[in-house]
Amino acid sequence: MFTQADSEALPEGNRAQPASLSHDAIIGAPLRAKIAREGGTLGQRYENWRQAASARLSALDLAPDLASNIGSVRWLRGSATLLGLTVLAFAFWPDFSRLEAAPPVDIDEAARDEFRSQSIAPLALGADSGRRMGESRFVSQLASAPERPRMDVLATLAQGDGFARMLTRAGVGEAEAIRVAEMVGDAMPLSQIQSGTQVDITLGRRAAPDMPRPLDALSFRARFDLQLRVTRTDGRLVLDPVPIKVDTTPLRIRGKVGSSLYRSARAAGAPASAAQQYLRAVGNEVNLDTAISAADEFDLIVEYKRAATGEVEAGRLLYAGLVRDGKPKLQLMRWGPQGRFFEASGVGEQREGMVRPVPGRVSSNYGMRRHPILGYKRMHRGMDFKASHGQPIYAVTDGTVAMAGRNGGHGNYVKLTHGGGLQTGYSHMSRIAVRSGQRVRRGQVIGYVGSTGLSTGPHLHYEVYRNGRTVNPAGIKFVTRAQLEGAELQAFRGRLSSLQSVTPGAALVSLAPDPGLEERPEREIDRLERRRQVL
C-alpha cells in the first residue's frame, strides 16, 4: 500500500486514496506482450509459460483479504475458497483404525517336524533332531535308539532325606545305592552330612534296557575337611577319602570404636553375626552408651576355618575385649559346654532377672483370696499363670531339683533350690520332666502344665521361698554369676593366653594349595557339558 508524497499537505476532503498495484502493474504490460511474442530455447519457453500462468492465476483473486469489504461478492468468493480448502483437508485426514497384520502361518505336524530336522541340537544331550530317511536297501530302521554311554547327574541331599534314597532317586540301582551308603557310613556318620550337600554322580552304560545304569563314579564334600570319592575299579566300587587341609587359626580383629561400635567392627572385617555377639557380650558387662568412648579399641576373636580348596567358614565369637589407653578394660572369653562368657579372672557373665515359668498371663496374685474350691478366704502363697494343658514349664533361673513328685494339694510338684536361701515351686503339673538332684539351667523345661491336685483347671501355681518361707514372687529378682575354680580355672587361663597370642590378620594369610587336590585343566568340550540336576 502506498500513498502520495504530498498527501498530508492536502485538505482533509481532497486527500488521495491508497494506491493498489496489480500483477500487470508489477511485471508491466509491455513485458507481458514481450513474453507472449518471444520464443527461444526450451528453458526460455518454460519460463515464459510460468510467468504467463502466474499472471492468469493472480487475476482470478482466489484468496482475497477476508478482513476487508466484509459481505461483498469478493469476500464471499474468498470465504467459499476457505471452506473448500477446509473440506479438502478433512477429506485427507489420516485413519487411525487398527492395521491388519499378516495372517499366522498354519504349521502342521509335518512342517513342524521339518523345522526340527533343520535345527541344531547336540545329540550328546539326548536330542533326536535330524532329517529322517525312508527305509531302503541302503537304509534300514533301527530296532531301538542307542543310549548315551555315560550320564552325569548332580543330586542334592534334601532335609530329612536318606543318602541311599537320594542315590536311588538320581538313577542308581537300589543294591548299589545301599552299598555306597554303607561305605560312606563307615567313613563318617551319615547324620553328619548336611542337608543341601550336592553329589556329583556318573552313571555308565546299562547292560540291558530294563536294568538301571551302573554307578561309575561319585564325589561330594562330606565335611569341611573331607572329600569322599567312590570309583569303580576292576568292576568293584572303591571308596577313596581325600582329606582337605584346613587351617583353624582364629580371626582376630581390632580397631577404633569411632562413632559406631557395630559399624566400625563391620568395616574392619568382622562378620555380622560376630559383631552382634560382641555387642551382646560386652553389653552384659558395661553400658554401651556411657561406658565406651570413641577413642577406645574393640578386640574380638572369631572361630575361622580355611580350606586349601579356597572355602572359608566363620563361626562363633570366642573372645570379646575392650582396650582403653593401651590397657585392657574388659576381657571376656567363651568357655564351657553352654558357651557362656567368663571374665579373665574366671567369673562368669552376669545373668539378671527370672524368665517367666510359662508365657501365659497372671490370673491370681500373691495374697489373701477366696479359695475357688474350699469356698473360704485364705492366704494364696504364690502366683497363678493361665496356660493351656501340656504347655512347657521353664526353670526361672539356674538351680538344683530339691523335689520332684506328688505333693498333696499341689499335685505333681517340682521345687528348685537356687542358692542364697531361695527356692521356687511349680505345682499342678500334668507331667514332670526332671528328677531330684538334677542340675537345671535357666529356661530349661522342667514339666508341663496340668490340673493335678487341688485345681479347678489347667494352670501353673508358682511359689518363691526365702529361707523356707513363701514370699511374693513379684518382688524377687535373681542375679547369678558362675565362678571357675581349680583345674578348670587353669585350663580357662591357658586357653585365654593362647587366644590373646593370635596376631590380628594372621588368619587371612594365603594358604598353599594342596597338591593332592590339584586337577587337570578342564577341556573346552567338558565346559559345554551340562549335568542333569536331581533335587
Side-chain angles (χ1 to χ4, degrees):
M1 306 293 290
F2 299 88
T3 59
Q4 296 180 5
D6 57 349
S7 60
E8 295 185 2
L10 296 177
E12 184 69 25
N14 297 331
R15 188 168 293 178
Q17 297 295 326
S20 176
L21 297 180
S22 66
H23 188 273
D24 292 342
I26 295 174
I27 64 175
L31 180 60
R32 289 186 57 194
K34 182 178 181 181
I35 292 173
R37 292 194 304 268
E38 288 183 355
T41 63
L42 181 62
Q44 292 175 344
R45 288 198 301 272
Y46 170 75
E47 181 64 22
N48 295 338
W49 174 85
R50 188 183 66 77
Q51 292 183 5
S54 175
R56 285 194 294 269
L57 289 175
S58 64
L60 293 178
D61 195 18
L62 295 176
D65 186 6
L66 297 181
S68 62
N69 299 326
I70 298 175
S72 62
V73 175
R74 183 169 177 269
W75 183 88
L76 292 175
R77 186 173 64 251
S79 299
T81 303
L82 176 63
L83 180 62
L85 292 175
T86 303
V87 172
L88 184 63
F90 277 106
F92 284 98
W93 188 269
D95 187 8
F96 291 101
S97 61
R98 188 170 52 187
L99 297 177
E100 293 292 337
V105 180
D106 187 13
I107 301 178
D108 54 8
E109 292 297 330
R112 185 175 292 105
D113 289 341
E114 184 66 20
F115 284 147
R116 290 188 69 250
S117 68
Q118 309 276 343
S119 64
I120 300 175
L123 296 177
L125 297 179
D128 58 354
S129 63
R131 184 181 296 275
R132 293 169 176 76
M133 302 178 62
E135 188 173 358
S136 65
R137 62 191 184 94
F138 299 106
V139 179
S140 60
Q141 185 174 359
L142 293 174
S144 60
E147 286 189 327
R148 297 170 58 188
R150 191 186 76 170
M151 180 179 294
D152 293 322
V153 180
L154 181 63
T156 303
L157 182 64
Q159 187 174 4
D161 198 3
F163 194 82
R165 188 163 55 250
M166 178 266 297
L167 294 178
T168 304
R169 191 171 63 251
V172 181
E174 184 175 357
E176 287 190 340
I178 295 175
R179 173 60 182 152
V180 171
E182 292 176 350
M183 295 168 61
V184 174
D186 294 338
M188 62 171 295
L190 295 178
S191 59
Q192 293 184 4
I193 303 177
Q194 297 182 356
S195 58
T197 300
Q198 293 187 330
V199 182
D200 291 323
I201 302 173
T202 301
L203 302 176
R205 189 192 298 273
R206 69 182 85 211
D210 57 345
M211 295 182 62
R213 288 178 176 268
L215 177 65
D216 281 353
L218 178 147
S219 176
F220 70 101
R221 187 71 167 265
R223 288 196 310 260
F224 193 78
D225 60 347
L226 180 63
Q227 178 92 10
L228 291 182
R229 297 173 181 171
V230 177
T231 56
R232 186 176 293 275
T233 304
D234 297 332
R236 295 175 58 252
L237 293 175
V238 179
L239 178 66
D240 180 21
V242 181
I244 299 175
K245 182 181 177 182
V246 175
D247 178 64
T248 59
T249 302
L251 176 62
R252 187 171 189 177
I253 302 172
R254 298 187 64 171
K256 292 286 186 181
V257 171
S259 59
S260 171
L261 177 55
Y262 177 80
R263 292 181 180 177
S264 299
R266 293 285 287 132
S273 60
Q276 294 169 2
Q277 294 175 45
Y278 178 85
L279 291 178
R280 283 195 297 268
V282 175
N284 288 334
E285 302 295 329
V286 299
N287 190 316
L288 295 177
D289 296 326
T290 60
I292 301 178
S293 66
D296 292 342
E297 296 183 13
F298 60 85
D299 187 4
L300 58 94
I301 301 178
V302 185
E303 285 180 341
Y304 201 70
K305 294 191 294 185
R306 297 180 299 158
T309 51
E311 297 86 0
V312 296
E313 184 179 277
R316 303 180 305 169
L317 178 71
L318 299 177
Y319 173 83
L322 197 62
V323 180
R324 177 171 294 173
D325 298 330
K327 298 179 181 180
K329 179 184 177 183
L330 180 66
Q331 294 178 327
L332 299 174
M333 190 186 75
R334 191 185 296 273
W335 183 258
Q338 298 177 8
R340 296 182 182 178
F341 281 94
F342 288 78
E343 296 180 1
S345 60
V347 177
E349 60 183 339
Q350 179 172 306
R351 310 187 72 182
E352 296 186 1
M354 301 180 297
V355 298
R356 292 177 72 90
V358 291
R361 64 178 179 84
V362 177
S363 58
S364 181
N365 285 304
Y366 181 87
M368 293 296 296
R369 70 164 188 176
R370 180 179 294 276
H371 196 280
I373 296 179
L374 301 178
Y376 58 86
K377 283 189 175 182
R378 75 172 190 174
M379 186 66 179
H380 185 232
R381 301 183 181 279
M383 297 173 63
D384 288 346
F385 290 87
K386 184 176 178 58
S388 57
H389 188 277
Q391 193 167 351
I393 301 173
Y394 306 100
V396 295
T397 191
D398 299 347
T400 305
V401 180
M403 177 183 177
R406 197 78 179 183
N407 186 22
H410 290 279
N412 291 332
Y413 176 77
V414 171
K415 179 181 279 189
L416 302 180
T417 300
H418 306 288
L422 292 177
Q423 293 178 307
T424 55
Y426 311 80
S427 305
H428 309 309
M429 293 184 179
S430 62
R431 184 161 58 94
I432 297 174
V434 292
R435 64 184 183 277
S436 296
Q438 179 180 342
R439 289 282 302 173
V440 294
R441 302 187 311 273
R442 182 174 184 255
Q444 179 178 339
V445 176
I446 59 174
Y448 300 89
V449 173
S451 185
T452 57
L454 205 58
S455 170
T456 59
H459 73 286
L460 171 66
H461 177 74
Y462 168 66
E463 296 179 340
V464 176
Y465 302 85
R466 185 192 296 274
N467 298 325
R469 303 185 59 175
T470 59
V471 295
N472 188 354
I476 299 298
K477 183 179 181 181
F478 290 103
V479 178
T480 59
R481 291 179 74 92
Q483 175 68 54
L484 301 179
E485 297 177 349
E488 187 176 13
L489 179 60
Q490 295 298 324
F492 170 83
R493 289 176 175 172
R495 174 61 174 165
L496 178 62
S497 176
S498 175
L499 286 179
Q500 290 178 335
S501 65
V502 175
T503 305
L508 302 179
V509 179
S510 300
L511 287 178
D514 192 344
L517 296 175
E518 291 184 357
E519 298 181 355
R520 292 178 301 174
E522 189 178 17
R523 298 179 302 166
E524 190 67 26
I525 189 64
D526 294 334
R527 297 178 184 176
L528 299 177
E529 186 175 313
R530 294 180 296 174
R531 296 179 181 272
R532 183 171 64 91
Q533 188 168 3
V534 178
L535 300 177

